[in-house]
Amino acid sequence: MALSIVERPAKKLVSYRVVGPYQQSIHSGFQQLTKWVARHHQPRTEWLTWFHDNPDTTPAEALRADPSVCVADNFILDEAEGLSLQTLPGGTYAAYHTTIADGDFEKAWRDFYAQLLTSAHYRPDGKACFEHYLSDGSKSGIWEVVLYQSVEKIPAIR
């Protein structure tokens, strides 16, 4: 898939922090978040996972991620139930729209970064990276997702 550069607004999120190997922990986080959404009758808008650690440099048991659902800017989280209210930063992002049919999210991220790191114009800035789920592949096994990494423009060499 092709890499594109987009501007994204900041998003208010209700998140459930998970720690451990992404392949196992994210699913359990979404189970908790889905129960909360159902109990509180939240509209199903954008679902995403915000990643806080690089799996190439952080031990699997220490990886942190926040399975999240977007909420209105004026939303107030009354009953936390292990959840937190936070804001995903807005700004310039590299975006990679892809379909994952084999559960290999890692390969999709590696393909994304292979394209991004060869860019002569943008580089990761370390502020935020996340997956935005356009379809729920939990039953079909086919996920349509957009991977995002916040980026900064590379200064021109003079």
Side-chain angles (χ1 to χ4, degrees):
M1 299 290 169
L3 179 82
S4 60
I5 303 298
V6 298
E7 292 295 321
R8 284 194 50 98
K11 292 280 186 170
K12 177 95 49 119
L13 309 173
V14 170
S15 304
Y16 188 86
R17 172 67 52 93
V18 295
V19 179
Y22 288 147
Q23 301 86 336
Q24 291 88 37
S25 64
I26 291 171
H27 176 71
S28 67
F30 273 117
Q31 287 178 323
Q32 295 299 320
L33 192 59
T34 299
K35 290 176 191 175
W36 177 85
V37 166
R39 276 194 312 274
H40 296 287
H41 309 289
Q42 289 299 306
R44 291 186 165 251
T45 58
E46 293 180 70
W47 290 75
L48 54 90
T49 299
W50 184 357
F51 298 94
H52 297 284
D53 299 299
N54 180 342
D56 290 336
T57 59
T58 302
E61 64 276 2
L63 292 170
R64 297 167 300 143
D66 295 335
S68 306
V69 62
C70 295
V71 293
D73 287 340
N74 62 351
F75 183 82
I76 297 171
L77 183 63
D78 290 333
E79 298 177 29
E81 303 170 32
L83 301 168
S84 65
L85 190 62
Q86 55 187 339
T87 301
L88 182 68
T92 306
Y93 284 84
Y96 185 72
H97 187 162
T98 189
T99 300
I100 299 169
D102 56 5
D104 197 351
F105 284 80
E106 181 180 346
K107 180 184 180 317
W109 277 102
R110 292 202 184 282
D111 292 347
F112 173 37
Y113 279 112
Q115 287 187 36
L116 177 58
L117 295 176
T118 60
S119 168
H121 304 289
Y122 291 90
R123 64 181 171 217
D125 67 5
K127 291 181 183 169
C129 72
F130 63 98
E131 295 171 348
H132 175 200
Y133 308 103
L134 304 179
S135 70
D136 179 357
S138 57
K139 290 185 175 77
S140 68
I142 299 173
W143 298 87
E144 184 180 359
V145 299
V146 181
L147 310 179
Y148 288 95
Q149 169 64 61
S150 59
V151 294
E152 63 187 359
K153 198 161 185 72
I154 296 173
I157 299 174
R158 294 178 188 216

